[in-house]
Amino acid sequence: MAKYKIAWLPGDGIGVDVLDAAKIVLDKIALDAEYIHGDIGWEFWRKEGDAFPARTIELLKNVDAAIFGAITSKPVKAAEAELVPELKGKGLVYRSPIVRMRQLFDLYICLRPCKGYAGNPLNFKENINLVVFRENTEDLYAGVEFNTVPDELSEVLMKLSKPFAAFKDVPRDQLAISCKINTKKGSERIVRAAFEFARKFNRKKVTIVHKANVVRATDGLFLETAKEVAKQFPEIAMDDANIDAMTMWLLKNPFNYDVLVAPNLYGDIISDLCAQMVGGLGFGCSGNIGEKLAVFEPTHGSAPKYAGQYKVNPIATILAVKMMLDWLGETEKGNRLEAAAAQVIKEGNVRTYDMGGANTTLDMAKEIAKYL
Ligand code: NAI
Ligand code: MG
């Protein structure tokens, strides 16, 4: 029996292409693992009314880790329109399977390292090395949303919230509410994860990203909780910044920052910005980490226009594989994989289109495999 069971979730579009590339490097590095395919994504929504079928949820309960490609998501109404005729009108609601997976398995850490590798023509500046910790289960992604506000809700809000009066005459079907829900526990554990990472890897500073001056209740709770946690890590510097200002300062001087921690939405935004500074979507890797399970993925989506063309850059996914190896405790293999990817980036002989080359997804993976 293999040492590890890994769920293999290609999903839609280029998710398939980049996971084929991941398999090439994993086979070469000879991880002692069994890879078990799981169905996820748009096709399963269309045909079964569920983009994250129960059998895939069962699979994830019985693996050590998972590698996920990407899925296609569409707005609610467009999603309903694409259901097979037998499923239409049954009141099925499309929700992103990756968001559901994060919540269902309590994968509360979204870890996004953004490291610039030498020789990458897409680097914004040389030697950027930022790490984003994004809270992954709550905040505006809690899924508590109304695109027609029920009368009960609006009556309660009229009673309890003065500012809601400004919306009292808006027709119910022209009013939408998405709830931002943050907890002390959720805030505490993501900030703690960021500080523990900083301690383990000798990072100098953790920056708390928020908008507590305006979004007082939820971001206020996040910031206050973060300050309490920081006291337990006196050797690590802490500062905080508003999300809007943060985007400017990060561009102005990325070297002033080190580890960033943020609630879900701001973390999503800031990690795309950081990923762009080290090469863009082809380089953004991500780990969704809980106590029992971790799911590793490139941050990009399914890029339908490139699906099946084996054109896109597999490095984001290969770096996600490195993160998985580290998480499994296979750090020697993880380091070797990162060094091989860094070598191929530096030499620049094999490059996908985004890096100015004409090589395929699989060419890149095979070139990296040569150094393993
Ligand atoms: P996307 O990330 O799929 O692609 C946007 C563009 O970025 C592509 O057209 C391509 O030009 C470039 N790109 C993406 N990955 C690349 C790679 N590995 N190498 C080189 N270039 C790359 O975002 P888009 O087009 O906004 O969304 C497409 C679908 O993916 C949507 O249905 C969206 O909902 C979904 N999505 C899924 C995510 C996930 O599965 N975690 C994350 C983001 C979007
Ligand atoms: Mg994103």
Side-chain angles (χ1 to χ4, degrees), residues 50-68:
D50 193 351
F52 189 30
R55 58 186 178 280
T56 307
I57 295 174
E58 277 311 301
L59 168 66
L60 286 173
K61 289 180 186 164
N62 294 299
V63 293
D64 297 294
I67 287 279
F68 167 68

Side-chain angles (χ1 to χ4, degrees), residues 134-207:
R134 163 188 172 192
E135 200 289 322
N136 218 15
T137 56
E138 47 187 48
D139 199 53
L140 264 170
Y141 293 61
V144 182
E145 304 198 273
F146 305 89
N147 58 11
T148 296
V149 175
D151 288 338
E152 303 97 291
L153 179 58
S154 99
E155 279 157 23
V156 170
L157 289 173
M158 277 301 291
K159 250 191 242 154
L160 299 182
S161 164
K162 269 199 188 142
F164 192 73
F167 304 100
K168 80 176 185 321
D169 297 326
V170 181
R172 290 293 158 260
D173 62 348
Q174 289 175 32
L175 185 66
I177 295 183
S178 299
C179 299
K180 176 165 156 81
I181 303 180
N182 301 72
T183 66
K184 178 134 184 133
K185 178 184 164 200
S187 308
E188 209 267 348
R189 62 186 184 171
I190 190 67
V191 175
R192 181 173 301 283
F195 274 97
E196 276 169 359
F197 176 94
R199 181 173 272 171
K200 185 168 172 195
F201 294 102
N202 260 320
R203 296 282 190 147
K204 302 282 169 286
K205 186 169 82 168
V206 174
T207 302

Side-chain angles (χ1 to χ4, degrees), residues 322 325-337:
K322 178 246 186 299
L325 293 169
D326 288 348
W327 190 76
L328 290 170
E330 299 283 347
T331 40
E332 184 275 329
K333 285 186 165 59
N335 290 341
R336 216 156 18 106
L337 182 56

Side-chain angles (χ1 to χ4, degrees), residues 5 105 113 143 145 149 228 240 289 340:
K5 272 190 183 174
F105 289 92
E145 304 198 273
V149 175
E228 280 169 28
D240 70 277
I289 301 170

Side-chain angles (χ1 to χ4, degrees), residues 14 18 68-74 98 102 281-282 297-306 312-314 353-354:
I14 61 163
V18 292
F68 167 68
I71 44 91
T72 298
S73 281
K74 299 190 186 179
I98 184 73
R102 289 164 180 161
L281 286 169
E297 56 162 334
T299 59
H300 62 72
S302 62
K305 71 176 178 192
Y306 292 129
V312 295
N313 195 337
Y353 83 93
D354 54 321

